[in-house]
Amino acid sequence: MSRRPVNPNRRLVESGTTSLVGSLQSKSRSSPYLSLGLVVLGAFLFIAYSFSGSGRTRGVDVVSKFEGGVSCTLELQQALPFLKKAYGDSMRKVLHVGPDTCSVVSKLIKEDDIEAWGVEPYDIDDADSQCQKLVRNGIVRVADIKFPLPYRAKSFSLVMVSDALDYLSPRYLNRTLPELARVASKGLVIFTGYPGQQRAKVAELSKFGRPAKLRSASWWIRYFVQTSLEENEAATKKFDQATAKRSYRPACQVFHLNAYP
């Protein structure tokens, strides 16, 4: 047997109960006051949230800087004051290897007591005028770090690397890491990502044709031993002390190594 849809308004009226339509009409008459009240309440909550978040400004800034992933090159720039305390005179002549090296070099050469050079492992066709000037002057070079660097042995007191080694397979690391140590006279500082980290979008432009492989600290330590690179314990201790005083915790792994004898 077929059943027709029942008109709910008719049934409610007939039973002596207030109809749904009538109820809605009654509410609609007070809706302007309700809307005004909601607007005022929303404004109050927004102001309260803004004031409550004022104490978290530093955290918001840090998150925005690393939006899209962690950049160890940016992390290195933030750690420069601590590296200066750890290395002192060993930062007289510095080579940075990694993406966005122009920004690192530009920051370093502003220091009166530091000479700085850079190796950019990625194409920089869209580089700004300042970076192009550094390249023209030979201060920054664009080079594939899978091959020997165009520098003599011990050309630099300190070599700093960021966002570069994570894209190399062990086969190419066997060539690149000893080469980096070759051109250093005092030490080598390496910034690498933690396993499970999302890399910054700039790293997606890797011309090595492979995604980043983020390795654990134990993996790196074993690899350093295999390549006869020893930890620079003095620099490690000074760096840790300097960062502890400022309650600064790097977002990347930092390794301090001695140069080859």
Side-chain angles (χ1 to χ4, degrees):
M1 179 177 65
S2 64
R3 303 179 62 182
R4 292 183 301 170
V6 178
N7 186 335
N9 294 330
R10 181 180 178 184
R11 177 173 293 177
L12 288 171
V13 172
E14 290 175 350
S15 63
T17 306
T18 303
S19 70
L20 179 61
V21 173
S23 176
L24 289 175
Q25 289 174 346
S26 175
K27 290 184 179 180
S28 66
R29 286 193 294 268
S30 61
S31 61
Y33 301 100
L34 179 61
S35 300
L36 179 61
L38 291 174
V39 170
V40 173
L41 178 61
F44 175 77
L45 292 175
F46 176 79
I47 294 173
Y49 175 80
S50 299
F51 278 99
S52 66
S54 60
R56 300 193 299 270
T57 301
R58 178 176 173 82
V60 172
D61 288 343
V62 171
V63 171
S64 64
K65 286 180 180 178
F66 294 114
E67 185 178 0
V70 173
S71 165
C72 288
T73 297
L74 176 59
E75 190 66 32
L76 184 151
Q77 293 183 62
Q78 294 177 331
L80 285 177
F82 309 112
L83 291 171
K84 288 192 68 176
K85 289 184 176 296
Y87 287 93
D89 292 341
S90 295
M91 283 189 68
R92 294 279 183 188
K93 196 172 182 180
V94 178
L95 174 69
H96 173 258
V97 179
D100 200 21
T101 193
C102 287
S103 63
V104 178
V105 171
S106 296
K107 196 166 187 177
L108 284 170
I109 60 180
K110 291 179 181 179
E111 305 288 338
D112 294 334
D113 55 345
I114 296 180
E115 298 179 34
W117 284 263
V119 173
E120 170 64 63
Y122 304 112
D123 294 330
I124 53 174
D125 296 335
D126 57 347
D128 58 26
S129 59
Q130 177 64 25
C131 185
Q132 292 175 359
K133 181 179 179 181
L134 292 173
V135 174
R136 287 195 303 270
N137 293 338
I139 297 174
V140 170
R141 300 193 183 195
V142 180
D144 191 335
I145 62 174
K146 292 183 294 185
F147 301 97
L149 296 174
Y151 304 108
R152 295 179 180 179
K154 302 187 183 301
S155 295
F156 307 95
S157 57
L158 186 67
V159 175
M160 302 188 299
V161 190
S162 60
D163 288 324
L165 300 184
D166 292 332
Y167 293 90
L168 297 179
S169 65
R171 172 190 174 188
Y172 289 117
L173 274 174
N174 289 335
R175 301 179 185 176
T176 301
L177 197 53
E179 184 67 8
L180 294 171
R182 179 187 68 83
V183 300
S185 62
K186 297 294 185 181
L188 181 66
V189 183
I190 298 175
F191 281 67
T192 68
Y194 284 101
Q197 261 180 351
Q198 180 184 356
R199 300 321 307 268
K201 292 181 179 180
V202 66
E204 296 175 3
L205 302 176
S206 171
K207 70 176 183 179
F208 300 123
R210 55 177 297 156
K213 182 175 179 59
L214 304 180
R215 299 154 171 125
S216 66
S218 59
W219 189 96
W220 281 111
I221 291 171
R222 288 195 301 270
Y223 190 79
F224 296 147
V225 171
Q226 293 174 8
T227 52
S228 301
L229 287 169
E230 299 178 351
E231 179 188 8
N232 188 333
E233 296 181 358
T236 300
K237 183 177 180 180
K238 291 179 181 178
F239 181 81
D240 291 344
Q241 289 175 343
T243 55
K245 287 181 180 179
R246 297 288 298 273
S247 299
Y248 172 77
R249 184 178 179 181
C252 298
Q253 299 183 90
V254 184
F255 299 101
H256 306 269
L257 305 171
N258 287 317
Y260 287 139

